[in-house]
Amino acid sequence: MSKHPLENQRHGLIHTLRLSKGWTLWEAWVAATAIAELVSLVLVLLASTTMKWLGTTELVAVLYTVGLLQGIVLGCAQWLVLRHYIKHVGKWIAVTAIAATIAWLLGIKAIALLSFFLVLDHTGTAEMRTLALARGVFLVGAWTGGVLGLAQWLVLREHIRRAGWWVFANAIAWACGLLVAFVGTTFMIFDRFDLATALAGAATGLAAGAVVGGITGIALLWLLKPRLRRQA
């Protein structure tokens, strides 16, 4: 007895949402983003150990390089998953790299300024200053996600409808992800790179990336479902 057409369509949709070896789109997207953020945090940690010996020109060059490499790593990791569902998205890597560089440079300037003013403020307690810094990190995360989402929207809008929601999803995801990273850095010592710092950095990078990937992965599923249902 043949299956009902709706049941066939449902099974086809489930099949198209899976990669090889049983990985679903969401799982692969979370894993890719988490690994990318782990690599990115390693880059930041390595750069932070050399910054105190650098002059202004070299420091600026390092910051630009770190931001660009973070964007390339993230763009490549996400592209490896996305290419299974959308063809001709090679521009994803380039726009992500450019956007990440812009967001990274302006973001760290904003955090540096906020930290500077908080150090000068002697009216609040240490807890109040930490809370204010956490709020700043959340806003910088929203800015970072917004910039990344806007750049990636330029690619998505050519392939799927309602792609504008991708910008909003990224803003929320990166705000939450950087907040997780901020909490994780409280367990890290940046003056030295030892096993404890490495383990804390790995856990922080994976956790922050999983949060970002989890939220944006849900948004990606929602945006792609009409397209995948037609292909099922």
Side-chain angles (χ1 to χ4, degrees), residues 32-80:
T33 308
I35 293 172
E37 286 310 294
L38 171 60
V39 174
S40 296
L41 192 56
V42 169
L43 291 173
V44 172
L45 288 173
L46 291 176
S48 67
T49 60
T50 63
M51 285 181 180
K52 56 185 176 183
W53 294 298
L54 299 177
T56 303
T57 304
E58 293 84 1
L59 181 60
V60 171
V62 167
L63 292 177
Y64 270 101
T65 303
V66 169
L68 181 62
L69 289 176
Q70 285 182 318
I72 292 173
V73 170
L74 178 64
C76 287
Q78 292 180 336
W79 172 80
L80 287 173

Side-chain angles (χ1 to χ4, degrees), residues 25 30 188 212 220:
L25 167 59
V30 172
M188 299 161 61
V212 174
L220 186 62

Side-chain angles (χ1 to χ4, degrees), residues 80-201:
L80 287 173
V81 178
L82 195 61
R83 68 192 179 97
H84 291 279
Y85 302 94
I86 303 178
K87 295 181 180 179
H88 310 300
V89 286
K91 292 184 292 185
W92 186 273
I93 300 173
V95 299
T96 302
I98 295 171
T101 304
I102 296 171
W104 161 256
L105 291 175
L106 296 182
I108 59 174
K109 287 180 181 178
I111 292 297
L113 283 174
L114 178 60
S115 301
F116 175 74
F117 286 119
L118 288 175
V119 169
L120 295 179
D121 182 16
H122 301 289
T123 59
T125 64
E127 291 77 10
M128 292 173 62
R129 288 193 291 271
T130 301
L131 183 60
L133 187 57
R135 290 171 180 162
V137 169
F138 185 85
L139 292 176
V140 168
W143 149 260
T144 300
V147 173
L148 283 171
L150 182 62
Q152 293 172 343
W153 165 79
L154 295 174
V155 179
L156 287 179
R157 66 173 181 165
E158 300 176 1
H159 304 278
I160 59 178
R161 299 176 58 188
R162 303 175 297 181
W165 286 103
W166 185 247
V167 182
F168 176 75
N170 269 269
I172 297 297
W174 283 94
C176 295
L178 286 196
L179 196 57
V180 170
F182 172 74
V183 174
T185 55
T186 60
F187 301 97
M188 299 161 61
I189 302 175
F190 290 93
D191 292 335
R192 66 176 187 270
F193 193 78
D194 54 15
L195 179 60
T197 301
L199 291 176

